[in-house]
Amino acid sequence: MNTTIKQKGQKWLQWAVQNPKKFFTYSMIFLSVSFIGSLIQGIFFPSDTTFKIRPPVLYSKSKMSQNPPLNNDKEMEKIVNELKTLKVKRDQNSLTKEDSLRIDYLFNQYQKLKNGH
């Protein structure tokens, strides 16, 4: 099966090398008919979904862009209050690993709210 396909391919290639003008002419006719066919299909039979690519989340409406600045201030106050309670815990030397992770998370959230991201 594979050998016959290879032999036919070699025959076509030899024919193309021996008859370059005919090969070029047939190729251009095929490409022109394909192009015209795709134009006709696009004009008279358009696909239902013209735009399949979804934009990245960065450019879509996110939760941050919907929050007004007043809401951001309230969130920042909550974060500051929780950080103050964790500071008291730190002063008493009773911080746990989870508390440290929570501090990092709260600090990152505070920075995001502050910078408006």
PDB file of all heavy atoms in Angstrom, residues 47-71:
ATOM      1  N   SER A  47     -20.727  31.228   7.850  1.00  0.00           N
ATOM      2  CA  SER A  47     -20.839  30.344   9.007  1.00  0.00           C
ATOM      3  C   SER A  47     -21.582  31.066  10.136  1.00  0.00           C
ATOM      4  O   SER A  47     -21.605  32.292  10.214  1.00  0.00           O
ATOM      5  CB  SER A  47     -19.454  29.912   9.486  1.00  0.00           C
ATOM      6  OG  SER A  47     -18.722  31.030   9.930  1.00  0.00           O
ATOM      7  N   ASP A  48     -22.168  30.275  11.035  1.00  0.00           N
ATOM      8  CA  ASP A  48     -22.953  30.855  12.133  1.00  0.00           C
ATOM      9  C   ASP A  48     -22.063  31.592  13.119  1.00  0.00           C
ATOM     10  O   ASP A  48     -22.412  32.658  13.610  1.00  0.00           O
ATOM     11  CB  ASP A  48     -23.732  29.755  12.858  1.00  0.00           C
ATOM     12  CG  ASP A  48     -24.800  29.148  11.963  1.00  0.00           C
ATOM     13  OD1 ASP A  48     -25.229  29.832  11.009  1.00  0.00           O
ATOM     14  OD2 ASP A  48     -25.185  27.994  12.212  1.00  0.00           O
ATOM     15  N   THR A  49     -20.939  31.016  13.447  1.00  0.00           N
ATOM     16  CA  THR A  49     -20.027  31.656  14.385  1.00  0.00           C
ATOM     17  C   THR A  49     -18.900  32.282  13.593  1.00  0.00           C
ATOM     18  O   THR A  49     -17.994  31.603  13.126  1.00  0.00           O
ATOM     19  CB  THR A  49     -19.467  30.642  15.397  1.00  0.00           C
ATOM     20  OG1 THR A  49     -18.836  29.587  14.661  1.00  0.00           O
ATOM     21  CG2 THR A  49     -20.570  30.063  16.260  1.00  0.00           C
ATOM     22  N   THR A  50     -18.959  33.588  13.431  1.00  0.00           N
ATOM     23  CA  THR A  50     -17.946  34.274  12.643  1.00  0.00           C
ATOM     24  C   THR A  50     -16.684  34.538  13.458  1.00  0.00           C
ATOM     25  O   THR A  50     -15.610  34.644  12.902  1.00  0.00           O
ATOM     26  CB  THR A  50     -18.477  35.608  12.104  1.00  0.00           C
ATOM     27  OG1 THR A  50     -18.944  36.392  13.199  1.00  0.00           O
ATOM     28  CG2 THR A  50     -19.602  35.382  11.115  1.00  0.00           C
ATOM     29  N   PHE A  51     -16.813  34.638  14.777  1.00  0.00           N
ATOM     30  CA  PHE A  51     -15.663  34.938  15.623  1.00  0.00           C
ATOM     31  C   PHE A  51     -15.563  33.880  16.698  1.00  0.00           C
ATOM     32  O   PHE A  51     -16.265  33.943  17.707  1.00  0.00           O
ATOM     33  CB  PHE A  51     -15.814  36.339  16.235  1.00  0.00           C
ATOM     34  CG  PHE A  51     -14.584  36.828  16.939  1.00  0.00           C
ATOM     35  CD1 PHE A  51     -13.455  37.163  16.225  1.00  0.00           C
ATOM     36  CD2 PHE A  51     -14.555  36.945  18.310  1.00  0.00           C
ATOM     37  CE1 PHE A  51     -12.325  37.622  16.863  1.00  0.00           C
ATOM     38  CE2 PHE A  51     -13.439  37.395  18.958  1.00  0.00           C
ATOM     39  CZ  PHE A  51     -12.311  37.737  18.223  1.00  0.00           C
ATOM     40  N   LYS A  52     -14.707  32.891  16.496  1.00  0.00           N
ATOM     41  CA  LYS A  52     -14.600  31.774  17.433  1.00  0.00           C
ATOM     42  C   LYS A  52     -13.572  32.015  18.527  1.00  0.00           C
ATOM     43  O   LYS A  52     -13.595  31.356  19.543  1.00  0.00           O
ATOM     44  CB  LYS A  52     -14.227  30.495  16.677  1.00  0.00           C
ATOM     45  CG  LYS A  52     -15.303  30.020  15.739  1.00  0.00           C
ATOM     46  CD  LYS A  52     -14.900  28.758  15.044  1.00  0.00           C
ATOM     47  CE  LYS A  52     -15.973  28.316  14.069  1.00  0.00           C
ATOM     48  NZ  LYS A  52     -15.618  27.087  13.367  1.00  0.00           N
ATOM     49  N   ILE A  53     -12.662  32.959  18.319  1.00  0.00           N
ATOM     50  CA  ILE A  53     -11.605  33.195  19.284  1.00  0.00           C
ATOM     51  C   ILE A  53     -12.157  34.016  20.441  1.00  0.00           C
ATOM     52  O   ILE A  53     -12.724  35.081  20.245  1.00  0.00           O
ATOM     53  CB  ILE A  53     -10.424  33.940  18.630  1.00  0.00           C
ATOM     54  CG1 ILE A  53      -9.873  33.115  17.485  1.00  0.00           C
ATOM     55  CG2 ILE A  53      -9.354  34.236  19.663  1.00  0.00           C
ATOM     56  CD1 ILE A  53      -8.856  33.864  16.656  1.00  0.00           C
ATOM     57  N   ARG A  54     -11.979  33.491  21.658  1.00  0.00           N
ATOM     58  CA  ARG A  54     -12.435  34.234  22.834  1.00  0.00           C
ATOM     59  C   ARG A  54     -11.340  35.176  23.291  1.00  0.00           C
ATOM     60  O   ARG A  54     -10.178  34.795  23.351  1.00  0.00           O
ATOM     61  CB  ARG A  54     -12.775  33.256  23.948  1.00  0.00           C
ATOM     62  CG  ARG A  54     -13.975  32.385  23.613  1.00  0.00           C
ATOM     63  CD  ARG A  54     -14.288  31.377  24.672  1.00  0.00           C
ATOM     64  NE  ARG A  54     -14.372  31.994  25.985  1.00  0.00           N
ATOM     65  CZ  ARG A  54     -14.214  31.347  27.118  1.00  0.00           C
ATOM     66  NH1 ARG A  54     -13.968  30.065  27.108  1.00  0.00           N
ATOM     67  NH2 ARG A  54     -14.310  31.977  28.264  1.00  0.00           N
ATOM     68  N   PRO A  55     -11.680  36.415  23.619  1.00  0.00           N
ATOM     69  CA  PRO A  55     -10.649  37.341  24.080  1.00  0.00           C
ATOM     70  C   PRO A  55     -10.118  36.906  25.446  1.00  0.00           C
ATOM     71  O   PRO A  55     -10.824  36.253  26.223  1.00  0.00           O
ATOM     72  CB  PRO A  55     -11.396  38.675  24.182  1.00  0.00           C
ATOM     73  CG  PRO A  55     -12.826  38.315  24.303  1.00  0.00           C
ATOM     74  CD  PRO A  55     -13.006  37.015  23.589  1.00  0.00           C
ATOM     75  N   PRO A  56      -8.883  37.250  25.745  1.00  0.00           N
ATOM     76  CA  PRO A  56      -8.327  36.879  27.040  1.00  0.00           C
ATOM     77  C   PRO A  56      -9.118  37.514  28.177  1.00  0.00           C
ATOM     78  O   PRO A  56      -9.759  38.549  27.999  1.00  0.00           O
ATOM     79  CB  PRO A  56      -6.912  37.437  27.007  1.00  0.00           C
ATOM     80  CG  PRO A  56      -6.642  37.804  25.607  1.00  0.00           C
ATOM     81  CD  PRO A  56      -7.942  37.939  24.911  1.00  0.00           C
ATOM     82  N   VAL A  57      -9.053  36.896  29.339  1.00  0.00           N
ATOM     83  CA  VAL A  57      -9.792  37.384  30.504  1.00  0.00           C
ATOM     84  C   VAL A  57      -9.340  38.786  30.868  1.00  0.00           C
ATOM     85  O   VAL A  57     -10.113  39.580  31.375  1.00  0.00           O
ATOM     86  CB  VAL A  57      -9.592  36.414  31.692  1.00  0.00           C
ATOM     87  CG1 VAL A  57     -10.320  36.911  32.929  1.00  0.00           C
ATOM     88  CG2 VAL A  57     -10.082  35.032  31.324  1.00  0.00           C
ATOM     89  N   LEU A  58      -8.112  39.118  30.546  1.00  0.00           N
ATOM     90  CA  LEU A  58      -7.560  40.424  30.873  1.00  0.00           C
ATOM     91  C   LEU A  58      -8.394  41.546  30.267  1.00  0.00           C
ATOM     92  O   LEU A  58      -8.585  42.585  30.867  1.00  0.00           O
ATOM     93  CB  LEU A  58      -6.120  40.503  30.351  1.00  0.00           C
ATOM     94  CG  LEU A  58      -5.377  41.817  30.521  1.00  0.00           C
ATOM     95  CD1 LEU A  58      -5.099  42.069  31.995  1.00  0.00           C
ATOM     96  CD2 LEU A  58      -4.090  41.788  29.747  1.00  0.00           C
ATOM     97  N   TYR A  59      -8.937  41.326  29.062  1.00  0.00           N
ATOM     98  CA  TYR A  59      -9.659  42.375  28.366  1.00  0.00           C
ATOM     99  C   TYR A  59     -11.171  42.309  28.570  1.00  0.00           C
ATOM    100  O   TYR A  59     -11.888  43.153  28.098  1.00  0.00           O
ATOM    101  CB  TYR A  59      -9.353  42.321  26.871  1.00  0.00           C
ATOM    102  CG  TYR A  59      -7.892  42.526  26.595  1.00  0.00           C
ATOM    103  CD1 TYR A  59      -7.128  41.519  26.035  1.00  0.00           C
ATOM    104  CD2 TYR A  59      -7.272  43.725  26.916  1.00  0.00           C
ATOM    105  CE1 TYR A  59      -5.788  41.705  25.795  1.00  0.00           C
ATOM    106  CE2 TYR A  59      -5.936  43.911  26.681  1.00  0.00           C
ATOM    107  CZ  TYR A  59      -5.194  42.906  26.120  1.00  0.00           C
ATOM    108  OH  TYR A  59      -3.870  43.092  25.879  1.00  0.00           O
ATOM    109  N   SER A  60     -11.653  41.293  29.226  1.00  0.00           N
ATOM    110  CA  SER A  60     -13.090  41.217  29.465  1.00  0.00           C
ATOM    111  C   SER A  60     -13.415  41.948  30.759  1.00  0.00           C
ATOM    112  O   SER A  60     -12.538  42.301  31.537  1.00  0.00           O
ATOM    113  CB  SER A  60     -13.534  39.753  29.543  1.00  0.00           C
ATOM    114  OG  SER A  60     -12.941  39.140  30.658  1.00  0.00           O
ATOM    115  N   LYS A  61     -14.697  42.164  30.990  1.00  0.00           N
ATOM    116  CA  LYS A  61     -15.093  42.865  32.207  1.00  0.00           C
ATOM    117  C   LYS A  61     -14.803  41.977  33.408  1.00  0.00           C
ATOM    118  O   LYS A  61     -15.339  40.887  33.540  1.00  0.00           O
ATOM    119  CB  LYS A  61     -16.580  43.209  32.166  1.00  0.00           C
ATOM    120  CG  LYS A  61     -16.902  44.248  31.125  1.00  0.00           C
ATOM    121  CD  LYS A  61     -18.360  44.625  31.169  1.00  0.00           C
ATOM    122  CE  LYS A  61     -18.664  45.693  30.161  1.00  0.00           C
ATOM    123  NZ  LYS A  61     -20.068  46.074  30.184  1.00  0.00           N
ATOM    124  N   SER A  62     -13.955  42.445  34.268  1.00  0.00           N
ATOM    125  CA  SER A  62     -13.581  41.660  35.428  1.00  0.00           C
ATOM    126  C   SER A  62     -14.257  42.204  36.671  1.00  0.00           C
ATOM    127  O   SER A  62     -14.856  43.276  36.677  1.00  0.00           O
ATOM    128  CB  SER A  62     -12.064  41.685  35.616  1.00  0.00           C
ATOM    129  OG  SER A  62     -11.642  42.996  35.913  1.00  0.00           O
ATOM    130  N   LYS A  63     -14.104  41.462  37.741  1.00  0.00           N
ATOM    131  CA  LYS A  63     -14.713  41.846  39.008  1.00  0.00           C
ATOM    132  C   LYS A  63     -14.107  43.156  39.528  1.00  0.00           C
ATOM    133  O   LYS A  63     -14.791  43.989  40.088  1.00  0.00           O
ATOM    134  CB  LYS A  63     -14.491  40.721  40.019  1.00  0.00           C
ATOM    135  CG  LYS A  63     -15.177  40.927  41.334  1.00  0.00           C
ATOM    136  CD  LYS A  63     -14.950  39.751  42.247  1.00  0.00           C
ATOM    137  CE  LYS A  63     -15.610  39.941  43.581  1.00  0.00           C
ATOM    138  NZ  LYS A  63     -15.339  38.834  44.499  1.00  0.00           N
ATOM    139  N   MET A  64     -12.809  43.334  39.303  1.00  0.00           N
ATOM    140  CA  MET A  64     -12.137  44.534  39.792  1.00  0.00           C
ATOM    141  C   MET A  64     -12.644  45.788  39.091  1.00  0.00           C
ATOM    142  O   MET A  64     -12.781  46.831  39.697  1.00  0.00           O
ATOM    143  CB  MET A  64     -10.626  44.425  39.595  1.00  0.00           C
ATOM    144  CG  MET A  64      -9.975  43.435  40.501  1.00  0.00           C
ATOM    145  SD  MET A  64     -10.130  43.979  42.202  1.00  0.00           S
ATOM    146  CE  MET A  64      -9.435  42.595  43.045  1.00  0.00           C
ATOM    147  N   SER A  65     -12.877  45.700  37.795  1.00  0.00           N
ATOM    148  CA  SER A  65     -13.305  46.898  37.076  1.00  0.00           C
ATOM    149  C   SER A  65     -14.740  47.279  37.420  1.00  0.00           C
ATOM    150  O   SER A  65     -15.137  48.409  37.241  1.00  0.00           O
ATOM    151  CB  SER A  65     -13.168  46.689  35.569  1.00  0.00           C
ATOM    152  OG  SER A  65     -14.045  45.672  35.154  1.00  0.00           O
ATOM    153  N   GLN A  66     -15.519  46.326  37.933  1.00  0.00           N
ATOM    154  CA  GLN A  66     -16.893  46.626  38.291  1.00  0.00           C
ATOM    155  C   GLN A  66     -17.004  47.227  39.690  1.00  0.00           C
ATOM    156  O   GLN A  66     -17.997  47.855  40.013  1.00  0.00           O
ATOM    157  CB  GLN A  66     -17.739  45.355  38.209  1.00  0.00           C
ATOM    158  CG  GLN A  66     -17.888  44.843  36.787  1.00  0.00           C
ATOM    159  CD  GLN A  66     -18.567  43.495  36.749  1.00  0.00           C
ATOM    160  OE1 GLN A  66     -18.870  42.911  37.778  1.00  0.00           O
ATOM    161  NE2 GLN A  66     -18.781  42.986  35.551  1.00  0.00           N
ATOM    162  N   ASN A  67     -15.983  47.000  40.515  1.00  0.00           N
ATOM    163  CA  ASN A  67     -16.020  47.550  41.877  1.00  0.00           C
ATOM    164  C   ASN A  67     -15.780  49.048  41.836  1.00  0.00           C
ATOM    165  O   ASN A  67     -14.768  49.512  41.322  1.00  0.00           O
ATOM    166  CB  ASN A  67     -14.934  46.907  42.748  1.00  0.00           C
ATOM    167  CG  ASN A  67     -15.312  45.515  43.188  1.00  0.00           C
ATOM    168  OD1 ASN A  67     -16.448  45.109  43.046  1.00  0.00           O
ATOM    169  ND2 ASN A  67     -14.353  44.789  43.718  1.00  0.00           N
ATOM    170  N   PRO A  68     -16.680  49.833  42.407  1.00  0.00           N
ATOM    171  CA  PRO A  68     -16.410  51.273  42.494  1.00  0.00           C
ATOM    172  C   PRO A  68     -15.340  51.534  43.548  1.00  0.00           C
ATOM    173  O   PRO A  68     -15.084  50.709  44.414  1.00  0.00           O
ATOM    174  CB  PRO A  68     -17.761  51.854  42.899  1.00  0.00           C
ATOM    175  CG  PRO A  68     -18.515  50.739  43.509  1.00  0.00           C
ATOM    176  CD  PRO A  68     -17.994  49.478  42.903  1.00  0.00           C
ATOM    177  N   PRO A  69     -14.711  52.705  43.502  1.00  0.00           N
ATOM    178  CA  PRO A  69     -13.650  53.015  44.477  1.00  0.00           C
ATOM    179  C   PRO A  69     -14.143  52.966  45.917  1.00  0.00           C
ATOM    180  O   PRO A  69     -13.390  52.617  46.821  1.00  0.00           O
ATOM    181  CB  PRO A  69     -13.222  54.435  44.099  1.00  0.00           C
ATOM    182  CG  PRO A  69     -13.632  54.602  42.678  1.00  0.00           C
ATOM    183  CD  PRO A  69     -14.823  53.726  42.476  1.00  0.00           C
ATOM    184  N   LEU A  70     -15.407  53.292  46.159  1.00  0.00           N
ATOM    185  CA  LEU A  70     -15.939  53.243  47.528  1.00  0.00           C
ATOM    186  C   LEU A  70     -15.907  51.818  48.051  1.00  0.00           C
ATOM    187  O   LEU A  70     -15.544  51.578  49.208  1.00  0.00           O
ATOM    188  CB  LEU A  70     -17.377  53.791  47.541  1.00  0.00           C
ATOM    189  CG  LEU A  70     -18.072  53.852  48.897  1.00  0.00           C
ATOM    190  CD1 LEU A  70     -17.334  54.824  49.821  1.00  0.00           C
ATOM    191  CD2 LEU A  70     -19.512  54.272  48.732  1.00  0.00           C
ATOM    192  N   ASN A  71     -16.265  50.871  47.218  1.00  0.00           N
ATOM    193  CA  ASN A  71     -16.240  49.461  47.599  1.00  0.00           C
ATOM    194  C   ASN A  71     -14.800  49.020  47.854  1.00  0.00           C
ATOM    195  O   ASN A  71     -14.547  48.229  48.760  1.00  0.00           O
ATOM    196  CB  ASN A  71     -16.880  48.625  46.490  1.00  0.00           C
ATOM    197  CG  ASN A  71     -17.489  47.359  47.019  1.00  0.00           C
ATOM    198  OD1 ASN A  71     -17.559  47.147  48.221  1.00  0.00           O
ATOM    199  ND2 ASN A  71     -17.916  46.509  46.115  1.00  0.00           N
TER     200      ASN A  71
END
